[in-house]
Amino acid sequence: MNKEKGIQQYPADSLKIINDGLSKKTFNSKLPVGKTEDILLESRQKKVISKVTFINCTSDEVEFTEFDRAVLDVCISEQAKGNEYTTPRIIFHQLGGGHRLTDNMKNAIMESIEKLASVRILIDMEEAVSKNLCQSKNGKSTFKGYLLPTESLETTINGQNVTAIRFLSKGIIYGVADRKNQIITCPQNLLTPPVRATPRTVAINHHLLRRSLEIKGSRDVAQKNKRVQPMCKIITLQDMCEKCGIDFENKRARQQARDTATAILNFFVDNGIIKNFHFEHKNGKIYSIVLEV
């Protein structure tokens, strides 16, 4: 663990969910090949912005899904435990998978790792540092790095082929969110609802968990600070599907997503993450999930 001043320390067995503005902008954007410049609003009240440059080092447009976000958060959690290496099987297990890692899931994990390792971010946070919104050693305000700096090695151990993934350093999103103290921590077992772990169900679970904790946390803050507006308790089904790479216009896919969401949310109720939930209809169709936190 990094011991320098300003870098937060977290329980070793917890899941880390990155929850800052940079991560939201990164995962809500389509990144064309090459450089893309953007502005990040750090504080509306203080009118503080940061300048961001995304560099897509692949040969195609990159669009992240919630599955990629889940893989990143699990890898960050592994790094926070002090682990220099991980494997697709470990990641699969942390994502809620059982003992059998299918080729499809292994390929999905490795494709996500490669995608995350191929996007570089440069962020100028001079205003945020000067306004004490971001803690920085020696006044440093410009940060550069890849989303998930890794290298992979195929090897054989006890006659079995093993893929080892080595973390080269702390990724840019992890480092920036850490400095702003904008990482949500929660028990690792919340990624293990009673549904079969596939790229789609993992994405839905991570999306609902992240949103539930964001909403719950915003209301806790609003109770302490009356000037803070709590987040809306509504998650639209269309937004969830789009973030998870699910075709919302496909009736069967939409129904399966709703059924998966129901099982996961019941699991959250049982574990005290939310108090209850219900679906709201619009024009005769399920439109949104309303959380009771």
Side-chain angles (χ1 to χ4, degrees), residues 69-287:
R69 200 164 184 166
V71 170
L72 176 62
D73 283 343
V74 163
C75 287
I76 286 172
S77 301
E78 287 298 296
Q79 284 184 284
K81 295 174 186 176
N83 296 328
E84 183 181 357
Y85 291 88
T86 190
T87 68
R89 187 173 296 280
I90 291 173
I91 294 172
F92 175 60
H93 182 71
Q94 301 289 9
L95 289 172
H99 298 293
R100 184 172 179 268
L101 174 62
T102 64
D103 289 341
N104 179 58
M105 179 58 91
K106 179 181 178 181
N107 291 337
I109 290 170
M110 291 307 300
E111 286 174 7
S112 183
I113 293 288
E114 289 301 313
K115 194 192 302 186
L116 292 164
S118 298
V119 172
R120 184 169 173 81
I121 298 176
L122 290 72
I123 180 167
D124 179 354
M125 304 183 68
E126 182 177 356
E127 290 186 14
V129 170
S130 65
K131 298 289 186 180
N132 295 319
L133 297 178
C134 176
Q135 297 175 341
S136 176
K137 187 177 182 180
N138 299 326
K140 180 181 178 183
S141 61
T142 301
F143 305 96
K144 307 174 184 179
Y146 290 89
L147 287 182
L148 186 65
T150 58
E151 62 181 9
S152 301
L153 171 67
E154 298 287 341
T155 187
T156 302
I157 300 176
N158 297 328
Q160 294 186 334
N161 294 328
V162 176
T163 301
I165 301 162
R166 182 188 176 206
F167 303 120
L168 300 178
S169 65
K170 179 182 289 187
I172 180 68
I173 279 184
Y174 182 14
V176 169
D178 215 354
R179 285 175 169 83
K180 292 190 289 186
N181 193 22
Q182 292 181 345
I183 297 179
I184 298 173
T185 62
C186 64
Q188 183 75 49
N189 74 323
L190 292 177
L191 284 184
T192 59
V195 296
R196 188 169 68 89
T198 67
R200 181 170 295 185
T201 62
V202 165
I204 293 173
N205 184 44
H206 190 271
H207 181 77
L208 292 175
L209 177 60
R210 179 173 58 80
R211 296 287 290 117
S212 296
L213 293 173
E214 283 177 344
I215 292 167
K216 187 174 182 178
S218 76
R219 293 183 175 271
D220 291 341
V221 172
Q223 286 183 348
K224 299 174 183 176
N225 186 346
K226 300 303 181 183
R227 292 180 299 177
V228 175
Q229 186 70 26
M231 295 176 66
C232 177
K233 296 186 291 184
I234 295 174
I235 300 172
T236 66
L237 195 64
Q238 182 170 358
D239 183 63
M240 183 188 78
C241 287
E242 290 176 352
K243 294 288 195 304
C244 297
I246 298 168
D247 183 4
F248 180 74
E249 299 304 323
N250 184 306
K251 183 178 179 180
R252 186 167 182 270
R254 190 168 64 242
Q255 176 69 43
Q256 289 177 336
R258 189 196 72 176
D259 292 345
T260 298
T262 299
I264 290 169
L265 290 168
N266 280 324
F267 174 71
F268 290 171
V269 171
D270 292 342
N271 282 271
I273 299 303
I274 58 175
K275 295 177 182 177
N276 213 332
F277 69 95
H278 67 270
F279 291 99
E280 279 193 342
H281 291 73
K282 191 174 184 179
N283 298 325
K285 297 180 181 179
I286 291 180
Y287 173 75

